[in-house]
Amino acid sequence: MTLFDHWHPVALSRELRRRRPLKVTLAGADVVLFRDGPRLGALDNTCPHRGFPLHRGRVDAGQLVCPYHGWRWATDGRGQAPGTPTARPCARAWEAVERHGLLWIRRAGSDMPFPFVDISGHGRVTTLRRRVQAPLEVVLDNFTEVEHTPPVHAFLGYPLERMAEVECATTITDDAVTVFNRGPQRRLPAPIRGVFQIPREADFVDAWTTRFSPVHTIYDQYFLVRGSDERRGPALRIAVFYTPVGPALTDLIVLAYASSARWRRPLLEAIRFPMTRLLVRIEVGRDARLLDAMEAPPVVLKGRALGRFDKALTASRRHIARIYRGEGEATGG
Ligand code: FES
Ligand SMILES: [Fe+2]
């Protein structure tokens, strides 16, 4: 098993037009995506004939046409050479599907299940992709601890001077790492509190589970009246997929949803959805810029001075090695 066996989101649906192929890169492997009506093609990007990059071609009648000698490729990889009609060339095809507004690929023949994102009762707020210059592990580190929220974030999270009050519980199982954080919400501008109906004295809950086929985290974020279990304001569910592009390059692919049942007033909702979209984009952008600035951060955690918010990091490293990269698996047999 290799990481190519997992279903990875590699692009947003809207990035792939009807007639123009799109090159994506998954862990160093260049793959060209194209559409044949509702069918999706995903082939190794190098033309099997003489190696021209197929993403420079065009889509004609559902086939990808190589611009060098005009050989044509179907979504399943079967090819035609117009000058040699008897030839039966074949390109390596990947399995490809379109779900949640994203394009996903895995190695053909893999039987890894599709990752489950429970969005029942939720409305889509936004879908975005942001490339960051950091290894997958380092990106995951950032997305699975809350200690960075005071210096890095603008709205969601905790104030630095009260960080010691934040409760942080980490649960590690065979295939998942779950973290629950609750603490005083940092001060928010009055218009934001007004629109979302968040009380001045609110607790913010940031709880998530990371799974590793592929590596992704699903967050539940909501507000409680301080010292009680009474919920107020929006409840967000955000799925973040970390797709490795290269050893030090990772695509963050974010699906953000909000529980629409809580937001019954249409006029307010008309403001809240775009505002939530903006907030998510601002906060993800802040994480991304921070990661870009880390400059070749070490992937290994051994020897680091880790704190109480960093427990998930070490467990995630182990799960990435075993579940995601298939390291330490028995071979032969
Ligand atoms: S290199 Fe693609 S058709 Fe010849
Ligand atoms: Fe963050």
Side-chain angles (χ1 to χ4, degrees):
M1 192 272 284
T2 72
L3 69 85
F4 298 114
D5 288 356
H6 308 287
W7 279 114
H8 282 89
V10 286
L12 311 184
S13 290
R14 60 176 180 265
E15 292 180 277
L16 181 60
R17 313 270 190 74
R18 211 154 52 85
R19 289 184 174 275
R20 198 176 310 156
L22 176 72
K23 184 178 88 163
V24 296
T25 306
L26 174 59
D30 287 341
V31 175
V32 60
L33 304 179
F34 63 102
R35 294 185 188 278
D36 173 13
R39 262 197 302 273
L40 205 56
L43 307 176
D44 279 359
N45 192 40
T46 308
C47 181
H49 177 218
R50 292 252 300 280
F52 201 83
L54 287 173
H55 76 280
R56 301 210 177 273
R58 65 192 164 86
V59 182
D60 175 53
Q63 292 180 317
L64 181 55
V65 183
C66 178
Y68 198 173
H69 309 95
W71 290 24
R72 305 172 68 91
W73 306 97
T75 53
D76 62 2
R78 272 185 294 185
Q80 291 166 1
T84 316
T86 51
R88 294 276 174 272
C90 204
R92 194 163 75 113
W94 297 62
E95 280 177 51
V97 295
E98 187 161 14
R99 273 186 213 168
H100 302 302
L102 302 174
L103 306 172
W104 306 70
I105 60 170
R106 73 173 178 187
R107 183 184 64 80
S110 161
D111 59 0
M112 290 290 179
F114 196 83
F116 177 62
V117 184
D118 183 6
I119 51 170
S120 50
H122 288 71
R124 166 102 49 91
V125 170
T126 193
T127 308
L128 66 99
R129 181 173 72 81
R130 173 71 155 81
R131 185 157 292 182
V132 290
Q133 291 180 49
L136 176 147
E137 283 85 347
V138 174
V139 177
L140 179 67
D141 290 350
N142 170 269
F143 275 78
T144 51
E145 52 84 3
V146 291
E147 200 176 2
H148 75 278
T149 58
V152 174
H153 287 290
F155 303 108
L156 291 185
Y158 311 104
L160 191 55
E161 66 278 9
R162 300 188 66 181
M163 205 58 213
E165 294 172 42
V166 176
E167 169 192 347
C168 174
T170 305
T171 311
I172 298 154
T173 65
D174 259 8
D175 62 352
V177 179
T178 298
V179 180
F180 177 91
N181 300 281
R182 176 177 180 168
Q185 164 64 40
R186 73 198 305 160
R187 191 161 270 181
L188 287 171
I192 292 186
R193 275 195 291 110
V195 168
F196 292 109
Q197 295 176 327
I198 301 166
R200 186 183 279 273
E201 292 293 302
D203 276 354
F204 177 57
V205 172
D206 196 353
W208 64 76
T209 296
T210 304
R211 294 183 190 278
F212 300 87
S213 176
V215 185
H216 67 285
T217 308
I218 297 179
Y219 297 81
D220 275 311
Q221 298 179 328
Y222 51 90
F223 300 89
L224 298 166
V225 176
R226 174 82 35 90
S228 97
D229 283 337
E230 193 187 324
R231 287 212 193 190
R232 285 288 173 84
L236 299 180
R237 178 158 299 161
I238 300 177
V240 180
F241 288 82
Y242 317 91
T243 296
V245 176
L249 211 54
T250 306
D251 269 357
L252 276 170
I253 295 182
V254 179
L255 300 168
Y257 300 86
S259 73
S260 40
R262 278 172 205 287
W263 296 358
R264 276 179 219 110
R265 290 153 68 184
L267 200 68
L268 215 49
E269 205 155 317
I271 306 170
R272 283 168 173 168
F273 262 80
M275 210 153 149
T276 310
R277 184 176 307 143
L278 187 65
L279 292 183
V280 170
R281 286 182 176 264
I282 290 172
E283 298 295 36
V284 170
R286 285 176 167 255
D287 284 316
R289 278 196 299 281
L290 174 103
L291 288 162
D292 285 342
M294 275 186 82
E295 294 176 12
V299 170
V300 175
L301 289 170
K302 219 170 163 198
R304 307 262 120 216
L306 300 178
R308 71 182 177 103
F309 294 101
D310 298 323
K311 282 187 193 145
L313 278 51
T314 316
S316 292
R317 286 290 195 287
R318 284 198 304 271
H319 284 15
I320 288 175
R322 181 175 54 86
I323 303 169
Y324 182 62
R325 299 192 190 279
E327 289 166 11
E329 279 187 342
T331 50

